[in-house]
Amino acid sequence: MEARLFLEKMAATTSYQRRLSISLLLLFDAWLGLRHGWGLVALLPEMTGEYAKLNDLYWMAQGIEFIAAGLVIIHTIGKNLEGRLGTFLRLSSPLLIIALLGWCIEVLMLGMGKQASVSFNLASHGFTGLVWAATYLAIAAGLTLTYRVQRYGNFAQSEYLVFGSYIALSMMWSERFWPGVDAAKDGVLDWELLLWACFAGFVLTGLLGAIIDLAIMRRFRRTGASPRVMMIASLGVAMMLRASLYLRYGSSTELFVPDRDWRLTTSKWEVDTFVHTFTFGVREAIPFHEEAERVFGLAWYKAALIIGVFGSVIALLMMMNGTRLGRKMRAVADNPDLASASGINVEKVHFTSSFLSAGLSGFGGVLFAMTTRMNPEVGLTILLPAFAVIVMGTIGSVRGAVFAALIVGMVRSLSQPVLVALGKPLERPTISGMDEVMPYVFLLAVLMLMPKGLGDAAQKWRIERLRKRIESNVVPRSARLPFDPHRGKEILKRPIRVIEDLFDQAMRPVNWTTDKIAVGVAVAKKKVEPSLKRLDGLRTDVVETARSRFHGETITGLEKLESTGRPPGTFLLCCLIPPTLFVFLGSWLWALSLSLPILWFGIISPTSWWRSKVTRGREAHVGSWLTFILLVVLMTALAWAIPSVDERTKWMGMARTLTLLSIFGILALSLNLHTGYTGMTNFGVIFFASIGAITVGLMSAGYGWYWWQGLLLTIPIALLIGWCLAYPTADLRMDYFAIVTISLGEIVRIALASEPLLRAGTNTSAIGISRYELPFEPWWDETGAAWFGELLGFGEPAPYQMMIGLFALTCLILVWGLISLMLRSPWGRILRAIREDEEVTQHHGHDVFKLKAGSLAIGAAIAALGGALWAWLNAGIFPSFMKPVNSTFLIWAAFIVGGRASNKGMVVGAFLIVLMNMLFTAFSTAQNDVDHSLYFIVEWLNSSLEWIIADLIPDLFASDRAIDEAFLGKPITAILAYVKLLLVGLIIVITLLVAPKGLLPEIPYRPKPEVVEIGGGESE
Amino acid sequence: MGNLSELALKLTGLVKHFGGIKAVDGIDFEVSRGEFVGLIGPNGCGKSTTFNAISGLLEKSAGQVEVFGQSTEGMKPHQIHALGLSRTFQNTRLWQEMTVIENLLLPPRNQVGATPLTSILNTLQPRHEKARLAKAWKVLETLEITHIAHLLAGELSGGQSKLVDIGRALMGEPELLLLDEPVAGVAGPLADSIFRHLRRLVDETGITVLIIEHNMNFILRKGVDRVVVMNEGKVLMSGTPDEVRGNEAVVQAYLGGAGIEHELPESEEFEEIGETIRHKRPLDIKRGVAGALLLALSMWIPNLGWITTGGILLGSSDFLSELSAHTLAAGVDDMWAGLHMLILLLYSLSQPIILFSLIWCMSQGHSLDDDAENIMLMSMILIISGIMLRLFNGVTEHEIPFGAFVALVAGAVMYFDIPTLDDDGEEE
């Protein structure tokens, strides 16, 4: 009876009350658990008492439960309270969250019987926050401007900052300025170098940005590429820029010192400040809050960064709001077609905006190099927080970015003392490294609460207020003032107008010349065009007839398929065939003379087999498979041709390549499911892979599980994590989703470096996981190795790589087969529809959320398998394997080369990347070996680099000192890892430009009409 | 008010405002089952916003929308679609990088293989795909666009896209079809034949069509049953075409006094696609009984052990006390054992419930698909968990995996067509 009453009561409560009561219960449970150890989770360690490490897991779980329950309570109450009280609560929610964190720490410390004292130095932490804010803003301002006008997230933005820094460094090392820099400290600041560096940083970086825009991004705009494509292209550009900087300047860290007097201990402002110390936990005779007076010195170079960046951003804001150029930019941002129709030169506006956005970052980079030691790696570490900043401040809004930068900078600097204080009692001295993670955590939290950012929330609030005012017919306060406040603004804008007019007058001759040139080019093009067109038409005719001859029949609609000019992939084939022939014939003369007719009649000529059958048919099954087999055979031959010491090392190399191919293939298949099929731009492949790697390694090394047990455990874990990830990210835009996933990967990577729970192996204090069981290792050592060694004629047991290679290949084939079988179904079709248009798919009755979650989960499980294989191949898991440059970006390159939504393409793309990897491994052995058959390539690379650095770059930036600083006085050598990075970037950009669909494009489903009769031929 | 289910669509005080602008300002109208209604009004009067609020694309600011008597409060678009509603968009949004035929193959309801778990069955059982394809070709033939079937949707012209969009909506077998300016940009004769076809569809299959048309002249000629005229976010009037034509206010306010020709279409013979519209799979009693028997068998297998469903239901087994003993005792083995028994308990109790609902389905003549899907999902989970339990702690009882396997077979028997040599399934 009572139970029924209770049930009825439960049914009568609203979801709000239910959620509140459940979270209150959870909070109480977590409190009990943290304070007295009686939480529900406490049952677990007693059952599994043998696992000593569960103590750490225990307080972590309870802490998360505590904070999550508290957050839900604050969120629920804030959402449901109406009126003044509700507004007050919503406004004070940041304070409430801080109080919640404090309470959690207090309870945790009390429960542990320890104490943690957090001391905030107001000035120190405040200014550190400002420095971080300025750094993030230097990138975020440019990033958000590009977003506004060109609508894509520019991953190269942080490289612009690094580029600016290196301009400053080069100028510092130049013969012109070095004597001044090197002079003894005299107490007088020398401004000359700094000012020139700022100017050069702004202009040169701006020009770099504008040139990249002209050379690459404009082509994408012309073809009407989507923002996603442009974002990935910018990723390729970023890789090329980073690799170039590495090649030129090496990886040593350098500080920009415009004059030694900047580093004097007296070069700072003294600021009186208070240190507030809060002691949590067991306090005996210590008060909770203590206050002390201190003096904080704000170094001038830090102040310069803050003032410079914020000043430049304010100037940008004034320009956007007060000038014609700003108005034009906003017009282009809103509607490029309309803008061009109303007489705005859209290309010029794009040029200006990319100049400005790159220049701002370069300028910031000059100042940033004064505060932090630079190397090319710094770029990525501040790019992601900068993305967090613009997401939080609403993409496209510069003003929002300023506020968000302040918030994110403060969060990072204020989290530092808390983490330091917690490090000791929790026995985690390295935890303070986690402050790098704080912006990401904060970003994730912000995206969950406000999926569209701060600016959007503010906008909504303003609209709502306006609506209420209109409805209530109250005269606004500004109208009751005796003067017009907007007039003041107009007067302020006047000087800017005058400057702009003067500038326009000055630019007149320049504009006139550029216009003339543009007209001339257009006329010349028109003259050439007809003849080109004629050629094109002829070609199409020939191809049409050839195609119909080959097909033998005309299929409905197929004949209307647009025939493109030269089919993509031709160039690659032309590059691949001569070396392959060389491998078989052993002579370049023969190879070239044979390959020329083959290339012409087989591939280039309009009637060739390749053109008529294969390339047309690449979007059909036969052609696609033929191309696939051809490419695989070609690449295998190339891989086999790479020289090595003896048969055994060759086989070892091949086995390693095979394993890597399988791993990259599996990861690319997972990426393909997420991005190619479902359309979720996943930049966190390595996050899902790390789930597999870490689970397998940790379970084997830490808890002595068998490898297959770890594998069986990690699949459901990955499925679960993938599914759960869909909840917070379901409504996110594709670029936000990309940033969330890449952040997750970074969080795990940094945690792997500092979290003791993620360590296992011989020496538990060492970073990483090592010494775990590898698949089939005992069997291999006993029987397999000897057997294989005999089979291949090594005369000794075969290395273990061969076993893992075979195992990985089996996994790849299984996953590939299964996923292809699964995707050849209504499910796969619906996923592709979600990629094309989510809303319409939902309107045709498909539960988009569940389907996305399912795709995320399955892709995550596949990636986890790949990650586990990777862990087994490396026999050790270290944070460096998770760097996006080593993993995610390579897989993206494979994905783009292979072709979206094409599983065969994934394998080919992975093969290409791995082949490149293998080639560069061979180069690096050739580097120290003059007799090596590939030595000439390495030598050529080195001499080219030397020529570029020593002869091509003007002396101001390539002084002897600058070269010596970078190469430590040794001869100039090309570091091969970075040449590879450059190539990967190049491959991404070129593929996107030349063959946006990839080598093996998606095969559209074109069933024949005969299947109308049920029981007829089976559909393809 | 009458029987609610007689109404296909009922709007009560629907309001939608964007910031300060009220696009739809409290409109009420009803559409009965089997009616062909036109919704007209000048630009910006809120027609498309009304559609968006009905189909769940936009969250309504206030008011009620009922589709076939069910309130759509808080429903997502796909749930509203499940009530029998399909719609098209004003600016045609096809899935651009998919072929036209693929665009048509997506909307059919209850597709086999639309979830990751069942997706492989599409390859194993190509019949379903073939049936879908046949239907899609028929729709294309009706709309006279078979020649573009293999083009990518992104390559089509505006008018062709419109036709594909209509075809796509028809493939969803709607009971209530919302068309947003379906013939804008379609050549005159084809537009006529589309309207005639819709008319036939309404007459023969009894579906309901609500159509937005900007061109009033046009719609008044095309044989709609009733017209609702909107203006400035409100319903101006509603009535038969004749009434609207006779209403001076409408003509003056909206048409500017333009004359309306009096002409009604003659019905023409069209190809039959009527019978493909909206049929749920009927109950096959043989499969139902076979499934039920198998399910009973699967109940019996685990009941060989010391835990019996009957025992639990009657309270005669000491199972519960054993379970609590294991749960309270502290130890790894006890945890696994407790988990194992908990799963057994769930399993034992779930089976009578499923069996009961199955029998109920059979007595009511409902389709078994939903039940079967649940059975299959549950038994898959049970099989996997059973195997996991065995792997990790060597639980010796084999009942769960075996019983669950039989249950899986039972589900499959009820859900899928049993492959037979002669193709005489119940579909068509």
Side-chain angles (χ1 to χ4, degrees):
Chain A
M1 193 63 201
E2 271 177 12
R4 226 191 65 197
L5 268 177
F6 177 73
L7 279 179
E8 272 171 12
K9 253 189 189 169
M10 275 300 283
T13 54
T14 57
S15 73
Y16 152 62
Q17 286 165 327
R18 252 197 316 266
R19 194 185 296 174
L20 201 63
S21 46
I22 288 173
S23 46
L24 274 173
L25 272 179
L26 280 179
L27 187 72
F28 181 66
D29 170 59
W31 180 81
L32 270 184
L34 282 178
R35 180 70 186 82
H36 302 290
W38 297 336
L40 281 181
V41 192
L43 290 173
L44 204 65
E46 279 174 28
M47 289 183 185
T48 51
E50 56 198 300
Y51 298 159
K53 282 192 176 173
L54 272 176
N55 272 333
D56 279 348
L57 275 183
Y58 171 65
W59 66 254
M60 274 182 200
Q62 297 277 297
I64 290 170
E65 187 187 348
F66 193 93
I67 290 170
L71 283 180
V72 170
I73 290 172
I74 294 173
H75 183 68
T76 321
I77 296 180
K79 213 169 144 189
N80 287 282
L81 267 189
E82 298 281 338
R84 284 269 160 88
L85 196 62
T87 318
F88 176 73
L89 197 80
R90 276 191 286 276
L91 285 178
S92 61
S93 60
L95 287 179
L96 287 177
I97 291 171
I98 291 171
L100 179 75
L101 290 179
W103 188 23
C104 179
I105 295 172
E106 169 84 11
V107 175
L108 175 64
M109 288 299 130
L110 278 178
M112 287 183 151
K114 290 176 180 171
Q115 69 164 207
S117 52
V118 184
S119 46
F120 293 107
N121 183 332
L122 292 189
S124 164
H125 290 119
F127 280 114
T128 314
L130 275 180
V131 167
W132 281 119
T135 313
Y136 295 151
L137 191 60
I139 296 178
L143 207 57
T144 207
L145 192 65
T146 316
Y147 245 121
R148 179 90 184 254
V149 182
Q150 278 143 327
R151 295 180 179 175
Y152 70 94
N154 188 358
F155 271 75
Q157 198 71 39
S158 60
E159 307 312 318
Y160 293 150
L161 181 130
V162 180
F163 188 77
S165 310
Y166 275 105
I167 285 176
L169 285 169
S170 303
M171 286 178 79
M172 179 179 85
W173 290 321
S174 69
E175 277 146 30
R176 161 88 173 70
F177 290 111
W178 182 250
V181 174
D182 206 26
K185 294 171 184 172
D186 52 4
V188 184
L189 281 188
D190 185 5
W191 287 88
E192 197 191 359
L193 171 59
L194 182 63
L195 291 180
W196 274 115
C198 284
F199 178 72
F202 179 71
V203 173
L204 291 178
T205 318
L207 279 178
L208 176 76
I211 288 169
I212 288 174
D213 184 68
L214 270 183
I216 299 170
M217 293 307 169
R218 195 177 50 154
R219 287 166 203 273
F220 287 114
R221 271 202 298 279
R222 281 196 179 154
T223 53
S226 66
R228 184 193 325 217
V229 171
M230 290 175 81
M231 181 164 95
I232 296 158
S234 79
L235 179 68
V237 171
M239 288 161 80
M240 282 155 66
L241 276 179
R242 185 175 311 154
S244 313
L245 286 172
Y246 262 124
L247 285 174
R248 169 63 186 82
Y249 292 102
S251 53
S252 60
T253 55
E254 305 286 354
L255 194 66
F256 174 49
V257 186
D259 182 18
R260 287 196 175 179
D261 299 310
W262 283 93
R263 315 294 303 184
L264 274 180
T265 45
T266 53
S267 297
K268 61 187 176 192
W269 287 308
E270 310 257 298
V271 187
D272 291 328
T273 176
F274 293 96
V275 177
H276 294 272
T277 309
F278 300 91
T279 311
F280 295 97
V282 184
R283 291 183 291 269
E284 274 143 11
I286 310 171
F288 172 62
H289 175 222
E290 272 178 309
E291 198 178 302
E293 263 186 71
R294 293 276 166 75
V295 176
F296 169 72
L298 175 64
W300 287 345
Y301 56 86
K302 282 187 184 168
L305 174 67
I306 298 169
I307 295 169
V309 170
F310 278 94
S312 63
V313 171
I314 288 168
L316 175 75
L317 267 176
M318 280 162 76
M319 199 218 69
M320 291 284 286
N321 292 324
T323 63
R324 275 194 296 274
L325 177 65
R327 224 175 304 144
K328 278 183 196 170
M329 275 189 193
R330 280 181 288 154
V332 172
D334 283 346
N335 190 339
D337 294 336
L338 207 63
S340 98
S342 48
I344 296 173
N345 186 341
V346 174
E347 276 309 315
K348 212 181 269 176
V349 172
H350 280 307
F351 183 88
T352 325
S353 77
S354 44
F355 178 87
L356 275 178
S357 61
L360 267 180
S361 299
F363 174 74
V366 173
L367 296 172
F368 181 61
M370 287 207 295
T371 62
T372 312
R373 292 192 159 272
M374 287 301 293
N375 83 347
E377 198 55 53
V378 172
L380 192 75
T381 58
I382 46 182
L383 176 69
L384 293 178
F387 264 115
V389 165
I390 63 163
V391 166
M392 210 184 134
T394 304
I395 282 185
S397 144
V398 179
R399 219 171 304 178
V402 175
F403 284 109
L406 284 173
I407 295 174
V408 174
M410 288 299 168
V411 164
R412 176 158 185 184
S413 82
L414 291 183
S415 65
Q416 176 84 15
V418 178
L419 290 172
V420 169
L422 285 177
K424 207 177 148 232
L426 297 182
E427 289 156 9
R428 278 170 172 67
T430 51
I431 201 178
S432 62
M434 292 293 276
D435 73 331
E436 216 179 313
V437 167
M438 285 303 143
Y440 306 138
V441 176
F442 193 64
L443 166 76
L444 297 182
V446 166
L447 279 179
M448 276 173 219
L449 292 178
M450 299 182 280
K452 283 176 185 166
L454 270 182
D456 189 71
Q459 187 96 1
K460 265 190 188 156
W461 181 69
R462 219 176 296 148
I463 288 174
E464 195 61 20
R465 209 181 48 168
L466 209 65
R467 194 173 64 85
K468 273 185 188 153
R469 192 188 292 164
I470 291 168
E471 278 177 357
S472 60
N473 284 325
V474 180
V475 184
R477 240 171 250 151
S478 60
R480 275 180 275 165
L481 288 173
F483 59 89
D484 182 8
H486 296 290
R487 208 177 140 64
K489 259 192 214 164
E490 287 302 311
I491 293 172
L492 277 178
K493 276 178 189 167
R494 232 172 251 169
I496 306 173
R497 291 265 161 78
V498 174
I499 294 171
E500 201 193 9
D501 282 343
L502 285 177
F503 182 74
D504 279 0
Q505 290 296 330
M507 286 300 278
R508 248 188 170 166
V510 180
N511 283 342
W512 185 81
T513 337
T514 48
D515 285 355
K516 277 282 167 222
I517 293 173
V519 169
V521 168
V523 168
K525 256 190 190 165
K526 243 183 203 159
K527 272 184 193 157
V528 182
E529 230 160 47
S531 51
L532 276 179
K533 268 218 173 115
R534 221 170 36 237
L535 257 179
D536 223 39
L538 184 76
R539 195 190 289 154
T540 331
D541 284 353
V542 174
V543 171
E544 285 296 325
T545 45
R547 188 148 54 91
S548 54
R549 200 172 66 225
F550 272 104
H551 275 285
E553 84 270 280
T554 44
I555 294 171
T556 331
L558 257 183
E559 68 268 20
K560 280 197 182 171
L561 282 176
E562 198 191 341
S563 54
T564 47
R566 194 172 53 207
T570 311
F571 179 71
L572 188 88
L573 258 184
C574 292
C575 292
L576 279 177
I577 286 180
T580 319
L581 280 178
F582 169 70
V583 168
F584 289 119
L585 300 173
S587 140
W588 279 108
L589 187 72
W590 274 107
L592 281 180
S593 52
L594 258 179
S595 63
L596 279 180
I598 292 179
L599 283 180
W600 174 252
F601 292 111
I603 289 162
I604 300 174
S605 106
T607 49
S608 69
W609 173 77
W610 165 255
R611 283 231 156 160
S612 54
K613 177 78 178 169
V614 177
T615 65
R616 292 294 144 194
R618 266 191 325 155
E619 294 197 14
H621 287 278
V622 180
S624 186
W625 274 110
L626 277 177
T627 322
F628 173 75
I629 291 166
L630 192 68
L631 284 172
V632 167
V633 167
L634 276 178
M635 286 195 281
T636 315
L638 266 183
W640 187 253
I642 292 172
S644 60
V645 184
D646 57 13
E647 197 77 340
R648 189 166 180 274
T649 27
K650 170 158 274 183
W651 274 105
M652 261 175 80
M654 288 300 278
R656 193 180 159 76
T657 307
L658 186 66
T659 323
L660 271 178
L661 160 69
S662 309
I663 292 166
F664 274 63
I666 288 173
L667 293 179
L669 282 174
S670 143
L671 178 63
N672 193 23
L673 181 61
H674 286 163
T675 310
Y677 278 92
T678 325
M680 300 178 289
T681 314
N682 172 14
F683 274 180
V685 189
I686 195 62
F687 167 68
F688 298 117
S690 73
I691 298 171
I694 290 175
T695 319
V696 167
L698 209 58
M699 283 300 144
S700 295
Y703 302 112
W705 285 27
Y706 293 116
W707 64 270
W708 52 267
Q709 283 180 326
L711 187 63
L712 279 181
L713 179 69
T714 193
I715 300 293
I717 287 181
L719 281 172
L720 194 70
I721 289 178
W723 184 276
C724 292
L725 189 61
Y727 283 90
T729 59
D731 296 330
L732 293 186
R733 286 168 36 167
M734 67 90 190
D735 32 13
Y736 289 11
F737 184 81
I739 294 158
V740 166
T741 43
I742 200 170
S743 303
L744 284 175
E746 286 295 284
I747 290 175
V748 174
R749 182 173 70 85
I750 296 167
L752 196 58
S754 59
E755 174 54 46
L757 276 185
L758 296 181
R759 286 176 200 165
T762 37
N763 183 357
T764 43
S765 64
I767 287 175
I769 305 165
S770 51
R771 284 277 178 112
Y772 42 82
E773 199 206 6
L774 304 176
F776 306 113
E777 203 179 11
W779 174 81
W780 181 261
D781 289 344
E782 269 173 35
T783 45
W787 190 71
F788 259 86
E790 204 173 314
L791 188 75
L792 296 171
F794 295 156
E796 56 185 316
Y800 177 70
Q801 264 103 330
M802 308 204 67
M803 180 65 235
I804 191 82
L806 286 177
F807 182 58
L809 186 68
T810 321
C811 287
L812 173 69
I813 290 169
L814 281 180
V815 169
W816 182 15
L818 188 69
I819 200 76
S820 302
L821 201 62
M822 281 171 77
L823 285 168
R824 201 190 304 154
S825 70
W827 179 61
R829 204 179 288 144
I830 295 165
L831 289 188
R832 278 183 297 135
I834 291 175
R835 174 188 79 193
E836 299 297 326
D837 194 328
E838 230 171 84
E839 263 171 19
V840 174
T841 313
Q842 194 161 28
H843 274 89
H844 281 285
H846 300 297
D847 189 347
V848 169
F849 172 75
K850 260 189 201 161
L851 287 157
K852 272 171 120 176
S855 152
L856 262 178
I858 292 173
I862 295 173
L865 173 65
L869 285 170
W870 209 343
W872 289 325
L873 175 71
N874 290 347
I877 300 164
F878 304 101
S880 63
F881 105 102
M882 287 190 66
K883 275 191 186 166
V885 177
N886 298 342
S887 52
T888 304
F889 293 164
L890 292 182
I891 296 155
W892 262 92
F895 169 71
I896 288 162
V897 169
R900 185 184 71 174
S902 145
N903 290 331
K904 282 193 288 293
M906 292 308 107
V907 178
V908 167
F911 203 160
L912 195 73
I913 296 297
V914 171
L915 182 66
M916 207 172 68
N917 205 33
M918 193 180 176
L919 207 61
F920 274 91
T921 319
F923 286 164
S924 58
T925 48
Q927 205 157 26
N928 308 319
D929 180 7
V930 188
D931 299 329
H932 200 278
S933 57
L934 293 174
Y935 180 73
F936 73 101
I937 296 180
V938 181
E939 200 192 355
W940 176 77
L941 276 175
N942 285 341
S943 55
S944 315
L945 188 69
E946 189 173 354
W947 176 72
I948 291 172
I949 290 174
D951 300 341
L952 200 63
I953 301 177
D955 267 357
L956 183 64
F957 295 109
S959 56
D960 291 343
R961 170 162 297 279
I963 295 171
D964 284 351
E965 287 282 344
F967 295 96
L968 308 167
K970 289 174 193 153
I972 295 175
T973 44
I975 303 167
L976 290 167
Y978 304 131
V979 180
K980 190 169 79 178
L981 189 64
L982 186 72
L983 262 180
V984 172
L986 209 62
I987 286 177
I988 291 181
V989 173
I990 288 181
T991 316
L992 284 177
L993 276 176
V994 178
K997 283 182 171 179
L999 277 180
L1000 295 173
E1002 179 181 357
I1003 302 169
Y1005 183 57
R1006 294 187 167 119
K1008 287 177 191 146
E1010 287 98 85
V1011 280
V1012 174
E1013 283 88 39
I1014 294 182
E1018 191 157 313
S1019 62
E1020 276 184 78
Chain B
M1 190 155 281
N3 187 4
L4 271 179
S5 58
E6 283 296 304
L7 289 177
L9 179 67
K10 184 179 175 216
L11 307 183
T12 331
L14 182 70
V15 178
K16 172 73 202 172
H17 47 68
F18 300 101
I21 308 153
K22 277 198 171 167
V24 175
D25 193 3
I27 61 170
D28 309 80
F29 66 81
E30 292 168 0
V31 179
S32 315
R33 215 181 256 271
E35 240 186 334
F36 189 6
V37 179
L39 182 62
I40 61 174
N43 279 330
C45 70
K47 296 169 305 222
S48 292
T49 312
T50 311
F51 264 33
N52 290 344
I54 294 171
S55 71
L57 180 65
L58 293 174
E59 213 172 295
K60 49 188 179 283
S61 307
Q64 275 282 329
V65 176
E66 284 177 18
V67 176
F68 295 111
Q70 280 209 26
S71 167
T72 62
E73 197 62 49
M75 277 191 176
K76 289 194 175 146
H78 69 269
Q79 291 163 323
I80 298 176
H81 178 271
L83 297 176
L85 178 147
S86 286
R87 71 163 293 187
T88 66
F89 288 85
Q90 186 176 10
N91 47 344
T92 322
R93 290 160 71 178
L94 299 177
W95 295 295
Q96 300 273 329
E97 305 238 333
M98 299 166 82
T99 53
V100 169
I101 192 89
E102 266 184 306
N103 266 280
L104 290 185
L105 288 176
L106 262 154
R109 291 157 201 261
N110 302 323
Q111 297 190 31
V112 172
T115 60
L117 285 179
T118 53
S119 59
I120 291 178
L121 292 161
N122 185 59
T123 314
L124 301 182
Q125 296 199 326
R127 305 166 27 119
H128 299 280
E129 179 81 1
K130 272 183 213 158
R132 270 198 298 275
L133 264 175
K135 206 162 87 184
W137 279 108
K138 239 175 189 171
V139 168
L140 284 177
E141 272 168 26
T142 321
L143 296 169
E144 299 168 8
I145 46 172
T146 39
H147 59 290
I148 58 167
H150 285 154
L151 291 183
L152 293 184
E155 301 168 340
L156 301 180
S157 71
Q160 287 171 331
S161 313
K162 282 273 177 205
L163 291 178
V164 175
D165 200 13
I166 296 170
R168 188 170 68 169
L170 289 178
M171 285 293 290
E173 299 176 351
E175 285 182 45
L176 170 59
L177 182 59
L178 306 186
L179 298 170
D180 197 343
E181 303 210 1
V183 293
V186 176
L190 192 54
D192 284 351
S193 78
I194 288 174
F195 263 88
R196 278 198 296 273
H197 173 63
L198 286 173
R199 181 73 247 177
R200 271 188 69 88
L201 209 64
V202 172
D203 291 345
E204 286 175 3
T205 61
I207 73 164
T208 317
V209 176
L210 180 60
I211 192 164
I212 289 184
E213 184 48 59
H214 187 68
N215 187 342
M216 184 163 169
N217 246 338
F218 196 73
I219 196 161
L220 292 184
R221 273 189 282 132
K222 292 306 167 199
V224 291
D225 295 328
R226 206 153 60 81
V227 176
V228 178
V229 187
M230 275 182 77
N231 196 14
E232 290 177 357
K234 295 204 162 85
V235 174
L236 200 62
M237 72 159 295
S238 98
T240 61
D242 283 328
E243 283 170 17
V244 172
R245 239 169 300 179
N247 189 322
E248 274 305 307
V250 175
V251 174
Q252 284 302 327
Y254 171 53
L255 293 172
I260 302 161
E261 298 114 87
H262 297 252
E263 188 187 310
L264 279 171
E266 300 138 34
S267 72
E268 242 178 63
E269 280 313 307
F270 262 98
E271 275 191 70
E272 294 283 323
I273 65 162
E275 70 269 26
T276 62
I277 302 299
R278 189 76 180 168
H279 65 276
K280 266 212 161 184
R281 233 166 62 167
L283 171 80
D284 181 358
I285 202 79
K286 265 188 282 181
R287 283 192 298 140
V289 170
L293 284 178
L294 274 170
L295 203 64
L297 181 69
S298 78
M299 266 176 81
W300 179 68
I301 288 177
N303 281 345
L304 284 175
W306 52 278
I307 306 168
T308 59
T309 312
I312 292 167
L313 289 179
L314 298 172
S316 62
S317 87
D318 53 354
F319 174 72
L320 287 176
S321 59
E322 287 254 356
L323 178 66
S324 57
H326 272 297
T327 323
L328 292 179
V332 187
D333 282 347
D334 287 304
M335 192 183 76
W336 286 118
L339 193 62
H340 179 234
M341 291 207 295
L342 214 61
I343 290 174
L344 264 179
L345 179 68
L346 281 178
Y347 182 60
S348 309
L349 289 180
S350 68
Q351 299 252 333
I353 297 169
I354 294 175
L355 202 62
F356 170 75
S357 80
L358 199 67
I359 290 164
W360 190 75
C361 262
M362 280 157 65
S363 70
Q364 298 284 314
H366 282 190
S367 162
L368 299 168
D369 291 10
D370 291 347
D371 260 334
E373 222 168 294
N374 291 339
I375 293 171
M376 280 195 295
L377 191 70
M378 268 308 295
S379 43
M380 286 288 272
I381 292 172
L382 283 169
I383 291 176
I384 291 166
S385 55
I387 292 172
M388 292 292 279
L389 282 171
R390 267 191 64 70
L391 283 179
F392 282 95
N393 81 327
V395 168
T396 44
E397 292 91 341
H398 305 283
E399 307 99 31
I400 297 188
F402 278 125
F405 181 71
V406 179
L408 182 72
V409 174
V413 165
M414 286 182 285
Y415 190 69
F416 303 109
D417 308 331
I418 307 163
T420 45
L421 287 171
D422 47 343
D423 271 355
D424 60 346
E426 61 293 325
E427 273 186 64
E428 308 226 9

